[in-house]
Amino acid sequence: MPLLLLLCLSSLPFLSDSAVPAIVVFGDSTVDTGNNNAIPTLLKSNFMPYGRDFLGGTHPTGRFSNGRLASDFYAEAFGLGPIVPAYLDPAYTIKDFATAVCFASAGTGLDNATSGVLSVIPLWKEVEYFKEYQGRLRRYLGVEKAKWTVNEALYVISIGTNDFVENYYSYTTTRYKEFTIEEYNDFLISLTASFIKEIYSLGARKIAFTGLCPMGCVPLERTMNLFYGGGCLEERNWVARDFNSKFQGLIGVLSASLPGLRLVYLPVYDFFLNLVNNPSLYGYEDVEHGCCATGLFELGYLCSQWNPFTCPDANKFVFWDAVHPTEKTSRIVAHYLVNTTLSQFM
Ligand SMILES: *[C@@H]1O[C@H](CO)[C@@H](O)[C@H](O)[C@H]1NC(C)=O
Ligand SMILES: *[C@@H]1O[C@H](CO)[C@@H](O)[C@H](O)[C@H]1NC(C)=O
């Protein structure tokens, strides 16, 4: 008994509940910090001009940004370092992953069919990596501290947009024949519920799920709407709002059935739409085009360092490429979400 007490006392430093011991990230390109570099897919961004403003230098890491992503800023706000390293990046070890790890894969979705479109990592495989990670964490930290870390970590999920952009609305799979858009939203919500139950069963408790953005306002969607004036595609924004309200309905259901779960919704939609509608408030000069290339449709390999149209100052742009925000936008949104929502885990 005294020995046990001693063991407990000696482990007191990690019992502090003022913050979280680790951040664990699941999702798509909005939070993928380089996992796609390690897999055979065409959807990559580990070349210039991606990463040209990364931590004060030029480091194309595989982030779909000129710099860091929102999840990197969350890690920083929680005192867990300036970035969240990608699990498949051989430059990092379990020592790094013990406080911050990212399983996300650009181009993936909630729906298995979505990850198949560009041969990226399906969400179920992200969970397999999470299981493997737990084994490595146990060997590194010991069973008790690893379990504690997994229970107390902050889990951030950012996923869903590709299920519409790459899948349902691009007719790359048969989903558009199988579901009406409302039914597809219901299907995605049921997949979200299964995913959250699964990571809960693996020990996750503090889970932050990012709401969908006004995806009809990204430059690529505006380009598709060019014939009608190039404004936001309102139908896509409606779909995002419908998904978000259905997700918020799910929180009560899951919280009632999973004891100890602290599931929160990161309300990005209204804040982002306000930013898009009032870009000058934040010193932006262009919200309709990405900085990279013409800004109308380029991303991935089409956003090439030889394109002469790429803008000199990404801070004047809301979007970096035709779909993804600039580092500045990610920082502004991340700080807002930390201050309004994630701070409850601090
Ligand atoms: C997705 O694929 C995985 C692996 O094949 C499978 O276990 C899972 O049931 C699939 N999910 C759905 C909803 O079909
Ligand atoms: C959030 O808080 C940080 C300080 O922690 C501050 O620098 C930042 O301006 C705040 N952002 C917003 C959007 O409120």
Side-chain angles (χ1 to χ4, degrees):
M1 196 59 184
L3 181 62
L4 194 62
L5 189 65
L6 204 65
L7 282 175
C8 288
L9 286 175
S10 71
S11 43
L12 268 181
F14 71 81
L15 290 176
S16 144
D17 60 0
S18 57
V20 298
I23 178 169
V24 178
V25 178
F26 293 97
D28 59 21
S29 61
T30 53
V31 288
D32 179 358
T33 53
N35 286 313
N36 276 19
N37 301 350
I39 61 164
T41 172
L42 285 173
L43 192 64
K44 291 184 194 259
S45 58
N46 52 345
F47 41 80
M48 280 282 280
Y50 285 100
R52 72 177 192 190
D53 304 309
F54 186 81
L55 291 175
T58 296
H59 303 287
T61 58
R63 286 169 176 79
F64 279 79
S65 168
N66 57 311
R68 286 186 283 167
L69 306 178
S71 44
D72 295 313
F73 292 111
Y74 302 154
E76 188 167 74
F78 277 85
L80 297 168
I83 61 146
V84 181
Y87 186 64
L88 299 183
D89 187 334
Y92 298 94
T93 67
I94 189 63
K95 186 169 181 284
D96 308 292
F97 300 141
T99 49
V101 63
C102 167
F103 301 108
S105 173
T108 203
L110 290 156
D111 182 354
N112 278 344
T114 304
S115 57
V117 175
L118 290 165
S119 307
V120 298
I121 304 169
L123 189 57
W124 65 264
K125 186 83 184 278
E126 293 188 24
V127 175
E128 291 301 309
Y129 285 129
F130 178 48
K131 292 180 192 165
E132 178 188 277
Y133 164 76
Q134 292 199 12
R136 292 174 67 186
L137 200 62
R138 280 192 290 273
R139 288 191 292 281
Y140 178 66
L141 294 177
V143 172
E144 279 309 308
K145 191 168 177 189
K147 182 177 187 298
W148 177 82
T149 302
V150 166
N151 286 157
E152 294 295 320
L154 171 65
Y155 292 79
V156 172
I157 305 162
S158 182
I159 196 166
T161 309
N162 293 321
D163 294 304
F164 304 100
V165 175
E166 234 183 277
N167 179 348
Y168 192 93
Y169 283 120
S170 25
Y171 316 117
T172 45
T173 77
T174 52
R175 292 307 191 213
Y176 73 99
K177 290 188 219 159
E178 295 157 15
F179 298 101
T180 66
I181 191 65
E182 282 95 341
E183 287 165 354
Y184 192 56
N185 257 342
D186 292 334
F187 175 61
L188 294 179
I189 290 292
S190 73
L191 297 175
T192 305
S194 311
F195 170 70
I196 290 171
K197 282 181 201 162
E198 175 142 31
I199 62 171
Y200 173 91
S201 76
L202 293 167
R205 292 296 178 270
K206 301 171 182 174
I207 303 176
F209 187 92
T210 317
L212 296 188
C213 271
M215 55 186 170
C217 296
V218 304
L220 185 68
E221 304 296 323
R222 286 184 191 264
T223 300
M224 293 196 218
N225 206 23
L226 222 46
F227 187 72
Y228 298 100
C232 301
L233 261 182
E234 280 313 322
E235 188 202 356
R236 303 294 169 90
N237 284 354
W238 178 85
V239 171
R241 289 195 302 275
D242 184 51
F243 179 94
N244 288 344
S245 74
K246 284 173 172 161
F247 176 79
Q248 287 170 274
L250 182 64
I251 294 180
V253 177
L254 290 178
S255 302
S257 63
L258 305 174
L261 175 67
R262 288 176 68 192
L263 177 61
V264 302
Y265 166 74
L266 298 180
V268 73
Y269 186 97
D270 289 332
F271 184 80
F272 202 92
L273 192 63
N274 183 50
L275 186 151
V276 162
N277 288 334
N278 304 285
S280 61
L281 277 179
Y282 302 92
Y284 292 115
E285 292 175 8
D286 193 325
V287 61
E288 296 179 8
H289 308 89
C291 165
C292 190
T294 66
L296 291 169
F297 62 89
E298 296 94 340
L299 66 95
Y301 284 114
L302 296 175
C303 169
S304 119
Q305 65 173 307
W306 294 284
N307 194 299
F309 296 107
T310 297
C311 80
D313 182 1
N315 288 337
K316 294 184 175 151
F317 284 69
V318 174
F319 293 96
W320 164 249
D321 65 17
V323 168
H324 303 98
T326 53
E327 174 184 79
K328 172 175 162 178
T329 305
S330 294
R331 180 190 288 113
I332 291 172
V333 171
H335 283 169
Y336 167 77
L337 294 173
V338 167
N339 294 359
T340 56
T341 315
L342 288 173
S343 55
Q344 66 187 273
F345 294 122
M346 283 178 167

